[in-house]
Amino acid sequence: MIKKILFSALLFSGLLVNAQTFTATYNFAATTTLSGTTDPTTPPAVTGITCGSFVAVGTPSANANAAGRFSFVGWPTGATTAVDTYSTMTGSINTNEYYEVVLTPQAGYTVAFNNITFTTQRSGTGIRNYVVRTSADGFTNNLPASVTTNTNLSVVGTNEFFWNLDAVTSAQNGSTISLFGATTTSSVSFRFYAWNSEGSGGTFSIDNVAFTGTVSGAAIPCASPTITAITGNSAICSNQTLNLGSTVTGDAPFTYTWTGAGSIATPNASTTSITNATSSDYTLTVSNACGTASSVVTATVNPSPSVSVNSATICSGESATLTASGSASSYAWSTTETTSSIVVTPTASASYTVTGTLGSCSVDVVATVQVNSAPTISVNSATICAGSSATLTTSGTSTAYVWSTGETTSSIIVIPSTSPETFTVAGTNGCATAASAIATVVVNALPSVSVTSAVICAGNTATLTASGATSYSWNTGQSTATILVTPTTSPVGYTVTGTDANNCSNTAVSTVTVNAVPNTALILNPGIHCVNVNTVTLVGGTPAGGVYSGTGVSGGVFSPATVGVGTYTITYSYTDGNNCSAVSSDIMTVSACTGIETLNAETVSIFPNPSNGLVTIKTPVLNTQVNVFDVNGKNVFSQTTTAFETSLNLSHLSNGVYQLNIVSDNQSMNHKIMINK
């Protein structure tokens, strides 16, 4: 089946005086396969135009390949049966191969070509592209083209037709080529170029080529417009639209002008509609190139009645009275009643139309009746913790609310003290029947949270344990039931918040009292004894009441003879009334005491001890050597006495315990002193 494409081209346009339209159609009825390259069919006859014959130029075939249409082979190739896209076409236009026809205005005539329409078709290996050009620009540019409904034909750019598919069978659809130019008195040649054939034997056929336009000249008469009728001037009502039409004879084109009272929708069309029209004259003026005609029509606009009606709101089962009023002389309701007032009892909200009539005019007005049924309301309940508040909110079809608390808002806030506690809300929408709903608030008790307190000695750790809840949060940031704390001040409070399974919380406070540890000291004086001494009662521990311990110590007595020669650490432990303890220690030296005699401790006195650094020594001999050693055994001070009572200035030494060694001839003794400035 052969596919045909119809397209049109607007070539020239212009308004011609004394013009008449024409259509010159080439139907190629006499074309045969032996008729050569010129169409033998008699060209169309048009007043004022000489129509030439169609000619095939540059094609290799000597004759048309079909009868009844202008069709030739031998177009430039460039497509294959497998190629469907424009970008893959390889051929190009050959400006020496085309169809051509020449139309010539006769002497004294001017021609304006409006459009060209024709059908086209291709064989299975036929052309894929075609364009139309004119002699107006020396056949340089393609005429602008467009496609309307053909699904297998498209326009590349704005002026080149392309068959999208290789198929040659499809329904015939329309396409358009648009041309723009001026009127002419000279010959115009039209050429049809085609290329990208799929084979040298592929065809390009055109048929039923029709040129339309207008031709003007002195020999063509011009008919002035005549308004033969104005329609639509029957009487209307003031709430209606006046619709006017016209019948005009003469040579087109015409221009129309309507004038008159009211709002004219289309004042420059052959027909128009007018709102707010009045009983007055309306004029239509029609013009063409040859003259002007006017006609007047008188409209009759009858007054429409003014009608109003009330609406109503009722409760279910009640009746409403609807009353229409105004200038109408009669009324008709959608209920079929014809009185100005009616009584209705709708079961649901409804609308009622009343038509008021005055003479031949009427107006429709709608009344509505809103039917309110008994209200429905609901309200939320809540579960809270003791001391908290609950928000109760009601909803439904009610328009007003009253709570058992006396409040009238849709939402209220309550803080109940008992559990459960109920709150009632009543709702109404203006009807006698009211609705009610009950909210229940359950109040969960707060957990009974307790926590241990503690009394500790400075530097010790206290264990605090909370109970009575399921989870805990301390002000220390910890979240376990038991925590360890080591406070440095006293007293210190620790707050724990306990939360139970109902998510209710309570708090408790733990107090930790921190008692200071006692300040103990031990100065063994003298700190050296001979090995042959059996017992030495230990003194020098402060505060009094502590316990001595160490090697050779029993019951507060040290036995040099038991432990033998050496250096021994003696410890003094003291526990105060708060059960806080402290420990101090000192060194006890046991000497063999051979070769020299030890100074008698009873003949030497050292005071004050402890001291602030100023120490006085009394000895029974002169020229004794006094050496002071620190805890590391370093000699930090030495002095020789020149009197039986000598002052030592040890204020440059740091606070602490020092060993004072006194040597005189073959005698020596050691003594502990404490400096506390």
Side-chain angles (χ1 to χ4, degrees), residues 33 87 176 345 509 549:
T33 56
S87 62
T176 302
T345 309
V509 177
S549 62

Side-chain angles (χ1 to χ4, degrees), residues 141-212:
N141 298 306
N142 302 334
L143 300 177
S146 63
V147 174
T148 54
T149 59
N150 195 297
T151 58
N152 292 332
L153 189 67
S154 64
V155 174
V156 178
T158 60
N159 51 24
E160 182 181 329
F161 284 103
F162 171 66
W163 261 286
N164 296 312
L165 303 175
D166 185 53
V168 297
T169 58
S170 70
Q172 180 175 314
N173 296 296
S175 61
T176 302
I177 295 177
S178 298
L179 307 173
F180 300 91
T183 58
T184 182
T185 58
S186 302
S187 296
V188 179
S189 176
F190 299 89
R191 290 182 181 176
F192 298 76
Y193 296 93
W195 71 100
N196 274 329
S197 178
E198 295 182 8
S200 60
T203 64
F204 172 47
S205 299
I206 57 174
D207 196 7
N208 296 322
V209 181
F211 295 86
T212 64

